[in-house]
Amino acid sequence: MAKHSADLVISGGRIIDPALGFGKEGHVFITNGCIDAVEGDTAAAKKRAVRAAETIDAAGQIVVPGLIDCHVHLREPGREDAETIESGCHAAAAGGFTTVCCMPNTTPRIDNQETVKFVQDRAKTARARVYVVGAITKNLDGKELAEIGDLVKMGAVAITDDGHYVQNPEIMRRALEYSKMFDIPVMDHAEDQYLVAGGVMNEGYESTRLGISGATSAAEEIAIERDVALCRMTGARLHIQHVSTARGVEAIRRAKEDGVRVTCEACPHHFILTDSLIGETFNTALRVNPPLRTQADVDAIIEGLVDGTIDVIASDHAPHSAESKDVVFDDAPPGMIGLELTLSLVKTYLIDKGYLTWAEAIRKMTTVPAMIFKLPHGTLEPGSEADITIIDPERKWTVKADGFHSKSSNSPFIGKRLVGRVTRTLLSGREVFAL
Ligand code: DOR
């Protein structure tokens, strides 16, 4: 019997879904906002495609499950001048992300059920799905655990004090123990604050040359080693955020070999940029936590991405208003935006340089974050919501300050020529972005 005709078919593109193990030209059939079928370019599929109510021609393009970014700052509530849930999700859609996990360092903090609910309500009309990551400690001040059970009950998919290290190991131990009861990961901003000691860039040759206070890479290494030990002891799940140092990568590699339940993410700026750029322009968009490191660290992060030590690519999208960044380097708040550039940066700096294949890169931005945070997305499996990203792999473009959908434009990549760009994003089969 012939299958019913679909509402929409995406035809002609190369479909890559690491979860399904699918990687060839074909057709994605969508009915009622859900994936109906994914089929190769067979005669039967072609015949069915012709009968679909609507067609998207993806010839020459790559069709992947909507991307997932597990590390995003949406700034609402509190800093709506820098970003709102609406603008941040518009930026997500423009970057091919249909699912984002938002960090709790808003004002007020996401450390209680009401704030979780506020974000969820605001996100209902947004162009991307928003999953909330709750706080580990009340007000993120590292002193008293937040009501973790309440946060999880409300829908928090993980906990973190992102932006701050949980300096007290006993509190971190208890956070891990609690998290285990709910089988959620604890996301770890691994930078020992005593060792950072107010440093605003990597401590080393460049910070010495420029006379800017440095933060030693040992701050990350020690923070990771401590939490790996607590993770081993508790048997909980630990997810190291934005790993930036060679020794940090090595510590995670060893922990994984030992069977510790640790995962981690890397951000584009940490596998592309080094601290040697700071002295060229003193561009405050280069001020980020953890800081940009050395070429040896960049090389180690790429190696970690290649050998699988680094599980996930995340943006750490951290919008800041132009006014707040328009200060001397030392005084600028840390962070750069990333949602709208991550996919193009991955293509230009990892895929085109031969470090990762398309399938490997997409896996770190779909299948794996979906697994870690238990999100029912990141695949084109029939029955799932039709969240789909279409990419022109060879589209060349130049990043422009006024081209962002984010409310902020604090990016050091402005002016860069990139290869590969998202051309269309669908959320439950509905177009939420088209170039
Ligand atoms: O650079 C950063 N900015 N790192 C963080 O951990 C926090 C973030 C922010 O909130 O701006």
Side-chain angles (χ1 to χ4, degrees):
M1 202 179 77
K3 285 193 184 160
H4 65 268
S5 48
D7 299 338
L8 173 65
V9 64
I10 302 170
S11 290
R14 187 172 138 217
I15 302 163
I16 300 176
D17 180 354
L20 290 179
F22 199 99
K24 60 184 178 201
E25 223 174 88
H27 309 264
V28 182
F29 295 93
I30 296 156
T31 304
N32 292 331
C34 291
I35 304 287
D36 190 322
V38 178
E39 286 171 27
D41 199 23
T42 61
K46 271 193 192 122
K47 223 164 133 191
R48 188 177 176 209
V50 173
R51 289 190 289 122
E54 203 189 319
T55 304
I56 293 176
D57 177 9
Q61 307 212 33
I62 293 179
V63 180
V64 300
L67 306 176
I68 298 172
D69 190 341
C70 69
H71 191 151
V72 167
H73 297 270
L74 294 175
R75 300 294 188 231
E76 188 179 357
R79 285 310 300 259
E80 292 82 355
D81 58 324
E83 198 77 285
T84 61
I85 291 166
E86 189 189 349
S87 65
C89 288
H90 200 166
F97 291 97
T98 51
T99 298
V100 300
C101 299
C102 68
M103 296 297 115
N105 62 339
T106 49
T107 312
R109 312 303 202 186
I110 309 180
D111 62 1
N112 59 71
Q113 290 195 328
E114 288 69 31
T115 327
V116 176
K117 176 94 169 57
F118 172 86
V119 172
Q120 290 169 336
D121 284 348
R122 289 284 175 153
K124 278 182 186 146
T125 53
R127 289 168 197 257
R129 300 178 198 285
V130 177
Y131 286 90
V132 174
V133 178
I136 296 174
T137 66
K138 288 186 180 157
N139 200 35
L140 309 186
D141 60 15
K143 297 204 171 78
E144 197 186 335
L145 284 183
E147 297 294 344
I148 295 167
D150 283 358
L151 292 168
V152 173
K153 214 178 283 165
M154 206 62 200
V157 293
I159 49 173
T160 184
D161 271 5
D162 185 51
H164 309 264
Y165 184 51
V166 177
Q167 197 67 53
N168 181 330
E170 204 273 328
I171 291 192
M172 188 61 168
R173 172 193 178 166
R174 282 197 285 125
L176 286 160
E177 281 168 348
Y178 270 111
S179 72
K180 208 179 152 192
M181 286 167 37
F182 309 107
D183 194 25
I184 55 161
V186 176
M187 299 174 82
D188 191 4
H189 182 117
E191 277 192 294
D192 185 296
Q193 287 311 301
Y194 289 108
L195 281 170
V196 169
V200 296
M201 67 179 288
N202 183 51
E203 180 182 305
Y205 180 86
E206 288 296 324
S207 65
T208 307
R209 186 171 76 86
L210 301 173
I212 293 179
S213 59
T216 171
S217 60
E220 177 173 289
E221 185 191 348
I222 287 170
I224 292 175
E225 294 279 17
R226 185 202 78 175
D227 290 340
V228 161
L230 293 173
C231 181
R232 179 187 283 115
M233 180 184 81
T234 57
R237 290 203 283 137
L238 179 71
H239 178 82
I240 306 291
Q241 300 179 283
H242 42 47
V243 60
S244 69
T245 63
R247 288 188 191 279
V249 175
E250 185 48 35
I252 295 163
R253 184 179 288 120
R254 257 187 289 112
K256 286 184 164 195
E257 282 165 9
D258 283 359
V260 180
R261 299 173 81 198
V262 59
T263 56
C264 70
E265 71 193 30
C267 308
H269 44 276
H270 290 129
F271 60 72
I272 298 170
L273 307 174
T274 65
D275 60 353
S276 66
L277 295 167
I278 293 168
E280 287 178 16
T281 56
F282 295 95
N283 181 353
T284 56
L286 295 166
R287 162 115 169 80
V288 65
N289 282 348
L292 303 178
R293 307 284 185 184
T294 66
Q295 190 59 48
D297 294 301
V298 166
D299 293 345
I301 289 172
I302 292 173
E303 197 185 331
L305 285 161
V306 171
D307 75 9
T309 302
I310 298 173
D311 306 270
V312 169
I313 297 170
S315 73
D316 192 4
H317 179 78
H320 289 287
S321 68
E323 301 78 66
S324 68
K325 280 282 197 182
D326 190 15
V327 291
V328 294
F329 191 85
D330 305 52
D331 294 341
M336 64 178 79
I337 55 169
L339 279 167
E340 293 172 77
L341 301 181
T342 294
L343 191 275
S344 299
L345 292 169
V346 165
K347 169 64 165 59
T348 309
Y349 291 94
L350 295 179
I351 297 174
D352 283 356
K353 289 187 188 295
Y355 295 123
L356 295 182
T357 63
W358 267 109
E360 287 163 347
I362 294 302
R363 191 168 177 274
K364 291 182 195 292
M365 301 169 81
T366 55
T367 321
V368 182
M371 253 158 40
I372 295 172
F373 298 94
K374 295 206 233 157
L375 308 173
H377 309 295
T379 176
L380 301 174
E381 190 178 349
S384 45
E385 296 286 338
D387 296 356
I388 298 172
T389 298
I390 305 178
I391 303 157
D392 181 342
E394 299 310 328
R395 173 87 63 123
K396 294 187 177 58
W397 65 294
T398 303
V399 182
K400 296 219 167 69
D402 60 3
F404 294 113
H405 297 81
S406 169
K407 273 193 163 190
S408 296
S409 55
N410 51 306
S411 171
F413 294 105
I414 290 168
K416 277 270 171 311
R417 193 124 176 98
L418 303 179
V419 183
R421 192 166 191 186
V422 171
T423 57
R424 204 187 291 249
T425 307
L426 306 182
L427 186 70
S428 292
R430 188 172 58 90
E431 186 176 287
V432 284
F433 172 76
L435 195 61

